[in-house]
Amino acid sequence: MAKLFALLALAALVIAFPGLAPDSFILSVGVVIMSYAVLATSWNFVGGFTGYISLGHASYSGLGGYATALLILRTDMNPWLALILGALIVAAIAVPIGIASLRVRGASFVIVSIALVLILLLVFQSWGSFTGGSNGLRVPRPFGDDVLRPEQHERFFYLHAALLAVALLCWWAINRSRFGMGLKAIREDEDKAQSLGVPTFTYKLVAFVVSAFFTALGGGLYALWFGFLDPIFQFSILVGSYMVLMSLLGGIRSLFGPLLGAVLVGYAMEFFKAQYGDTQIHLIAMGVLLAAVVLFMPDGIIPALTNLVNRFRPQAASIREVSAAELAERRREAEQPAAEAKEEVHR
């Protein structure tokens, strides 16, 4: 009941946020935070289930944004259809990438993921005739000119919230399935899981493609909201690092961990940017925060709070002390049927 109440309270807060936001800027910050929550939750399909840490997941959010924009510009496709089709294209591209990259583990996988995002950055910067190059690419917004900017923020906030809800539901369903148990076995000990019959490579590849699909949806939706794509930002290692930091901060093994991390990290980044302008102090703050998380809360905030609550919760014991009154009551209850039967015989 407590979890259900907390979930309903969270849903009510999300629904009410656009009405509670005092101005358009705060509402836009809410959209950015919700976008980060989508990306962090999408990353968690790989990082949380398999334990593979990808710092180059911006590859799929950037590809999703560019695929959506190019489908609209080159084929005059409906924006929402382009969003879905673009994510499916990115998921298809992720299959050969996953087949190649998931054969390595640990630091090697991290290096491969970073190499991918750097390669895509160079390609999209150099291919100016198709992607706009360093000049960027302007994305047509899906709503007409009669829809003012604050109303656009509100609509995209709810769209990001709906996408986040679908991603969370999918993560929850996988977590409770046999497939999810296999993924968590891979996370704990991949060699032992494989020796017990878990098809480790297939499971990893499926989780990788699902993660790429949701990440591409998040990148495409952000492109439709922001209206402009720059390869330096879209294919940035920093974006992938933010996904990792948000998930680690909240807790990669919990459903709402990436969401909590996105709220904290996203708000902190926007605060530092608003207070200190174009300086890079927000990068220093994120580095310090990442170091603090790794050193003091390696499992994240939600698991740490759960363990703290469990320490003060009464623990169930296998042997419980029984009072003399309880023993006498049990004896009377046990003897009562025999006494009634004896009385019935005498009658």
Side-chain angles (χ1 to χ4, degrees):
M1 291 300 295
K3 291 181 179 179
L4 179 60
F5 178 78
L7 183 61
L8 292 175
L10 177 63
L13 179 61
V14 170
I15 293 173
F17 176 78
L20 299 175
D23 52 45
S24 179
F25 173 73
I26 298 299
L27 188 54
S28 68
V29 171
V31 178
V32 172
I33 292 175
M34 197 61 67
S35 176
Y36 280 134
V38 171
L39 296 179
T41 302
S42 303
W43 179 91
N44 208 34
F45 281 95
V46 171
F49 281 131
T50 68
Y52 279 62
I53 305 299
S54 170
L55 290 178
H57 238 57
S59 304
Y60 309 108
S61 62
L63 284 174
Y66 270 98
T68 302
L70 291 173
L71 284 172
I72 297 172
L73 294 172
R74 307 299 181 188
T75 66
D76 199 25
M77 186 180 293
N78 179 275
W80 308 116
L81 180 59
L83 176 66
I84 302 297
L85 183 58
L88 291 174
I89 293 173
V90 174
I93 296 173
V95 173
I97 295 175
I99 291 175
S101 62
L102 291 172
R103 298 185 183 277
V104 296
R105 308 179 190 176
S108 299
F109 180 79
V110 176
I111 293 172
V112 170
S113 66
I114 294 174
L116 175 62
V117 74
L118 293 177
I119 291 170
L120 289 175
L121 172 61
L122 293 175
V123 169
F124 277 76
Q125 272 189 318
S126 304
W127 200 0
S129 60
F130 186 68
T131 65
S134 299
N135 294 325
L137 190 68
R138 189 162 298 280
V139 186
R141 292 194 176 94
F143 304 114
D145 296 334
D146 56 326
V147 179
L148 300 179
R149 193 62 174 162
E151 191 175 351
Q152 295 234 18
H153 293 333
E154 181 177 352
R155 294 185 183 185
F156 275 102
F157 179 86
Y158 286 129
L159 287 170
H160 278 92
L163 178 57
L164 175 63
V166 173
L168 289 172
L169 181 62
C170 185
W171 200 95
W172 176 82
I174 292 176
N175 187 52
R176 297 174 64 88
S177 67
R178 183 175 181 179
F179 172 58
M181 291 296 293
L183 290 175
K184 286 182 279 188
I186 294 171
R187 180 186 66 200
E188 299 303 326
D189 193 329
E190 185 171 345
D191 293 328
K192 187 178 292 185
Q194 188 171 9
S195 67
L196 293 174
V198 178
T200 56
F201 188 79
T202 302
Y203 276 27
K204 290 188 299 182
L205 182 60
V206 172
F208 186 81
V209 173
V210 171
S211 176
F213 174 73
F214 278 107
T215 306
L217 281 177
L221 194 58
Y222 180 86
L224 292 176
W225 170 69
F226 194 69
F228 185 78
L229 295 175
D230 179 8
I232 296 178
F233 175 76
Q234 297 301 317
F235 299 103
S236 171
I237 299 176
L238 285 176
V239 175
S241 302
Y242 292 154
M243 298 184 203
V244 176
L245 174 59
M246 292 169 188
S247 300
L248 289 177
L249 179 62
I252 61 174
R253 301 186 182 188
S254 58
L255 176 63
F256 294 105
L259 172 58
L260 176 61
V263 172
L264 297 177
V265 176
Y267 177 80
M269 285 194 299
E270 296 302 317
F271 173 80
F272 280 113
K273 289 178 183 178
Q275 292 294 320
Y276 301 101
D278 296 331
T279 63
Q280 302 300 312
I281 193 171
H282 64 281
L283 299 179
I284 299 175
M286 293 304 105
V288 172
L289 180 59
L290 179 59
V293 169
V294 172
L295 290 174
F296 303 107
M297 289 188 299
D299 293 330
I301 293 177
I302 292 181
L305 291 178
T306 302
N307 293 335
L308 182 63
V309 171
N310 290 336
R311 289 178 59 184
F312 296 97
R313 183 180 296 172
Q315 299 294 324
S318 57
I319 300 176
R320 187 176 68 88
E321 294 183 1
V322 182
S323 64
E326 289 177 326
L327 286 174
E329 181 66 25
R330 291 181 184 180
R331 190 177 297 112
R332 282 195 298 270
E333 291 176 355
E335 294 175 352
Q336 185 175 1
E340 292 177 353
K342 186 176 181 180
E343 184 180 352
E344 188 68 25
V345 170
H346 284 305
R347 290 179 181 176

